[in-house]
Amino acid sequence: MMIQMKMRNRPIYFIDVETTGLSHNDKIIEFCIVRYHNGYATSIQSKVDPDGVPVHPQAQAVNGYSPEKWSDAITQEEAYEKIRLFTQDRGVWIGHNVKFDLGFLSRLYKDHGASLNARRTVDTYAIAFEHLVPMGLKSLGFDEIRRFLGWKVHKHHSAFQDAWDVFKFWRQISRMGILRRSYVRIKSLPYILGAV
């Protein structure tokens, strides 16, 4: 009972990062972390200078990176300090393919002589597989989940939009009762019938 109470009182961090590529040798170029604690949600986000690491064309197609759009980006060190201060309380980390995001965060911490303490994680892949695949979801990609739920699908990914959508997804789906399940079934009919 004591362990359960301690877990309940910890913050939950919803994370999304955009990167220069898919290898953990690449760099974070945008991040957003939503902190949910005691019924309140707050967030931090920023574009981050790639620090001389070229942005892979495939990553650029996803995140829309350009030097002009990133002209107000903060440094890698500033990103580390901002994230470290915002997430100093141990908590649970949630993301879509959360290991990917935390791998990049771990690399950022390591580059600044620190280590990230993010042992407790929840992946929204698992939540979608458990709740939405039995209802007709065909793929576990987050844009596919957005289509299934009738949400807007964006041309480029932004860490801000994705982190807040992960938070919204968790709130709507992970504690889904009979009424919410019925609502999702109705909303997903165009998707299931191939109209989306």
Side-chain angles (χ1 to χ4, degrees), residues 35-94:
R35 175 188 164 112
Y36 183 67
H37 193 224
N38 294 329
Y40 295 96
T42 57
S43 71
I44 57 167
Q45 78 273 347
S46 192
K47 290 180 174 160
V48 186
D49 187 89
D51 198 28
V53 175
V55 179
H56 192 280
Q58 282 182 310
Q60 191 174 14
V62 171
N63 58 45
Y65 171 84
S66 74
E68 297 76 33
K69 288 183 188 172
W70 262 252
S71 62
D72 61 344
I74 63 176
T75 66
Q76 294 283 322
E77 185 174 358
E78 288 169 325
Y80 162 70
E81 285 297 334
K82 197 171 182 179
I83 293 167
R84 183 184 66 79
L85 290 171
F86 190 70
T87 63
Q88 60 189 342
D89 296 325
R90 281 196 313 177
V92 177
W93 292 79
I94 299 179

Side-chain angles (χ1 to χ4, degrees), residues 110-182:
K110 187 176 177 184
D111 287 347
H112 293 88
S115 60
L116 177 68
N117 186 355
R119 291 184 349 206
R120 290 177 172 81
T121 62
V122 175
D123 202 312
T124 53
Y125 273 128
I127 296 171
F129 184 80
E130 174 71 20
H131 293 283
L132 301 184
V133 168
M135 296 170 71
L137 179 69
K138 299 170 189 155
S139 166
L140 293 174
F142 206 72
D143 280 345
E144 197 71 9
I145 290 169
R146 285 182 173 115
R147 286 185 193 93
F148 183 83
L149 294 173
W151 296 359
K152 183 176 181 179
V153 176
H154 306 275
K155 182 180 177 186
H156 290 117
H157 286 218
S158 91
F160 178 81
Q161 185 67 55
D162 290 353
W164 278 101
D165 277 0
V166 165
F167 172 66
K168 178 176 155 186
F169 173 78
W170 173 79
R171 295 271 319 242
Q172 285 190 6
I173 304 301
S174 66
R175 285 157 175 75
M176 189 164 49
I178 293 168
L179 288 176
R180 170 61 62 180
R181 193 173 293 275
S182 299

